[in-house]
Amino acid sequence: MELEPVIGLEIHAQLLTSTKIFCGCSTTFGAPPNTHVCPVCLGLPGALPVLNRRVVELAVRASLALGCDVQPVSLFARKNYFYPDLPKGYQISQYDQPLATDGRLQYESEGRQVDVRIIRVHLEEDAGKSLHEGFAGSGRATHLDFNRSGVPLIEIVTHPDLRSSAAAADFFSRLRTMFRALGVNDGNMEEGSLRCDANVSVRPAGAERLGVKVEVKNINSFRYLQHALDYEYERQTGVLRAGGAITQETRLWDVAGGRTLPMRSKEEAHDYRYFPEPDLPPLEVSAEWVAAIAESLPELPEARKQRLVSEFGIAERDAAWLAQSADATSYFEAAARAAGNAKAACNWIMGPVGRYLNEHGVEIGDLRVGPERLAELVALVEEGTISTSAGRSVFERMAQSGASARSVVESEGLAQIDDTDLLGAAVREVVDGNPDAVASYRGGKTGTLGFLVGQVMRRTGGKANPRTARAMLLDILGGGH
Ligand code: ADP
Ligand code: MG
Ligand code: ZN
């Protein structure tokens, strides 16, 4: 029985504001411990939170980019738990009425189209940080830094729509790219600006019922995410195959050990006793404000794809690939315009250029062949100066040396023979040397023409322009077209 992994992600992203979510303290990373604190973010009695407008604007920006419906009214709630880095005894979050719901992110991973539905995006504050080492007395005590407490976060929760560790890692990485492009998050995973909890279960491939899930907490790298999910898949399938059962629990990724370790089981799970935050009114976001934020968004992949299809007439699949990256899109647009032939430019980028990028691990923005240079090569092939296969090797040379298409063609003597005087002799020789083929062509077997063109190509070492050779042969053979 084949078992498939089922994965849902919960991602925390710090919003790029200069001040915290409910007070004016700085969010700058790396300040000396407890220097960016005030009664509000320390949770001292009587201190009143005031919502930072910029936080809401960035959260709406992220929600719209994820295709979510931004709710006209959302509510803050207290999530109660005890932890040393949470002096208030509760975290202000959103619970049953989050800021935004029902989004989706579509992308390609390992050559397959992935469609992940987003359940919700909600606002919350971060907690402080426990420091277990690096201070005098660290051996005996844990130190606490509250600079982080009250830093604004959004949490993005997906449906369990992912079916492989690679697709999950790609989701996380796409989200990072998108948030950076939107200016909502700095993507700095080592500093904790972006982190992920991965929920994973296994079930018989294609089954409808979900298996019992395990949550792996606080993963701060794409690679760790993929490794943790692979590890969990192996561990859970092993348990099931041995006749055991999976226990619902929270685990941690042990980086040094390359394994997940249990943290707490369902029995020890928190009951957060959520209740509405009495110190904050309902958050109202007007339709006008949402519309204005939507207006200010940069072009997102889905819109970009549609535009490439309608503006350039290229295939949807190709457009989807190009639209995944702003760099690939602008490279294509520049090449298509310069070549005056969007389809040919697209074929080159999807074919030889894409292969080169893959093989050499190069980003399109760093390619030594800029779009104008590629356009020049495309034109040389289209006008028949060089053959398509010669064009491919010219491209390789250009990418290695940074030279122009023309200079490579000249230095390698790759130009096709298009000159009827030069080709005439070869065509004549082929006609004289293959009387049988000529006779069968004249007898009605027009398929022989391909053979004769091939012979001309051979005689010219592959440099003849096949179209010219064909036309000249037809002239001599006296056939129709
Ligand atoms: P919880 O109440 O434990 O937080 P939720 O239903 O809120 O669980 O889901 C939290 C995350 O776990 C979501 O991303 C969801 O997609 C994912 N998830 C839920 N059930 C499963 C499952 N059986 N297998 C994998 N992921 C799951
Ligand atoms: Mg949860
Ligand atoms: Zn503060």
Side-chain angles (χ1 to χ4, degrees), residues 41-376:
C41 55
L42 285 174
L44 301 186
L48 281 179
V50 177
L51 181 59
N52 179 340
R53 183 183 169 91
R54 179 74 179 148
V55 165
V56 181
E57 185 181 340
L58 293 178
V60 168
R61 220 170 144 73
S63 303
L64 290 174
L66 290 169
C68 290
D69 302 325
V70 175
Q71 299 302 312
V73 179
S74 62
L75 298 177
F76 287 99
R78 289 190 181 177
K79 181 180 182 179
N80 300 283
Y81 61 95
F82 170 79
Y83 206 75
D85 65 15
L86 191 70
K88 293 206 288 268
Y90 62 86
Q91 182 185 14
I92 302 178
S93 181
Q94 295 190 303
Y95 184 51
D96 50 6
Q97 280 186 248
L99 176 73
T101 56
D102 291 322
R104 83 189 322 149
L105 189 64
Q106 291 171 300
Y107 56 98
E108 210 180 81
S109 173
E110 296 182 307
R112 253 179 270 173
Q113 198 60 29
V114 185
D115 187 352
V116 180
R117 292 166 302 151
I118 313 286
I119 300 176
R120 56 191 277 147
V121 175
H122 69 250
L123 283 164
E124 62 186 31
E125 58 178 347
D126 208 347
K129 198 173 179 188
S130 299
L131 304 166
H132 303 289
E133 49 199 39
F135 292 91
S138 274
R140 285 173 287 110
T142 290
H143 291 69
L144 293 163
D145 175 11
F146 295 109
N147 284 349
R148 265 204 98 84
S149 55
V151 159
L153 304 177
I154 44 173
E155 177 171 346
I156 299 107
V157 184
T158 78
H159 277 279
D161 288 346
L162 292 152
R163 295 289 175 274
S164 77
S165 60
D170 281 345
F171 179 92
F172 195 15
S173 121
R174 253 162 225 288
L175 205 65
R176 177 174 183 269
T177 306
M178 183 193 256
F179 283 177
R180 279 164 56 99
L182 290 169
V184 303
N185 175 266
D186 65 12
N188 204 328
M189 301 169 79
E190 298 81 53
E191 293 178 4
S193 297
L194 189 65
R195 45 198 206 256
C196 167
D197 302 337
N199 300 271
V200 52
S201 58
V202 298
R203 68 179 176 189
E208 226 164 84
R209 252 182 70 153
L210 293 170
V212 174
K213 77 171 160 96
V214 162
E215 180 175 3
V216 187
K217 279 274 185 204
N218 261 325
I219 303 173
N220 69 349
S221 109
F222 310 133
R223 206 157 38 90
Y224 294 163
L225 174 59
Q226 191 162 353
H227 289 170
L229 289 170
D230 289 339
Y231 181 89
E232 270 304 304
Y233 176 74
E234 292 302 323
R235 189 186 67 82
Q236 293 183 24
T237 51
V239 169
L240 294 178
R241 292 223 161 88
I246 304 298
T247 16
Q248 187 174 330
E249 61 182 352
T250 304
R251 298 176 74 93
L252 282 179
W253 176 242
D254 165 20
V255 175
R259 60 191 171 163
T260 64
L261 294 174
M263 193 175 143
R264 58 174 182 256
S265 71
K266 195 184 178 185
E267 287 71 46
E268 306 157 61
H270 291 120
D271 175 354
Y272 295 115
R273 299 186 180 264
Y274 281 98
F275 66 85
E277 167 58 61
D279 291 338
L280 287 163
L283 168 57
E284 291 180 14
V285 179
S286 72
E288 292 73 39
W289 195 24
V290 173
I293 296 170
E295 196 67 31
S296 76
L297 290 181
E299 190 180 34
L300 292 165
E302 185 53 31
R304 203 143 61 197
K305 180 185 104 182
Q306 301 300 345
R307 185 173 61 76
L308 291 180
V309 170
S310 61
E311 201 171 306
F312 294 95
I314 58 173
E316 188 128 342
R317 221 194 126 73
D318 297 344
W321 187 86
L322 292 167
Q324 285 183 31
S325 119
D327 283 349
T329 300
S330 47
Y331 187 96
F332 162 72
E333 289 177 295
R337 297 222 166 85
N341 186 336
K343 282 192 179 137
C346 177
N347 288 339
W348 274 86
I349 294 168
M350 298 302 296
V353 177
R355 267 196 299 280
Y356 183 90
L357 298 175
N358 269 341
E359 277 165 20
H360 296 82
V362 176
E363 297 292 330
I364 200 160
D366 301 328
L367 189 62
R368 294 188 77 177
V369 184
E372 284 77 20
R373 291 242 157 141
L374 181 75
E376 192 193 335

Side-chain angles (χ1 to χ4, degrees), residues 20 23-25 36-42 149:
K20 294 186 180 179
C23 63
C25 291
H36 294 164
V37 292
C38 74
V40 172
C41 55
L42 285 174
S149 55

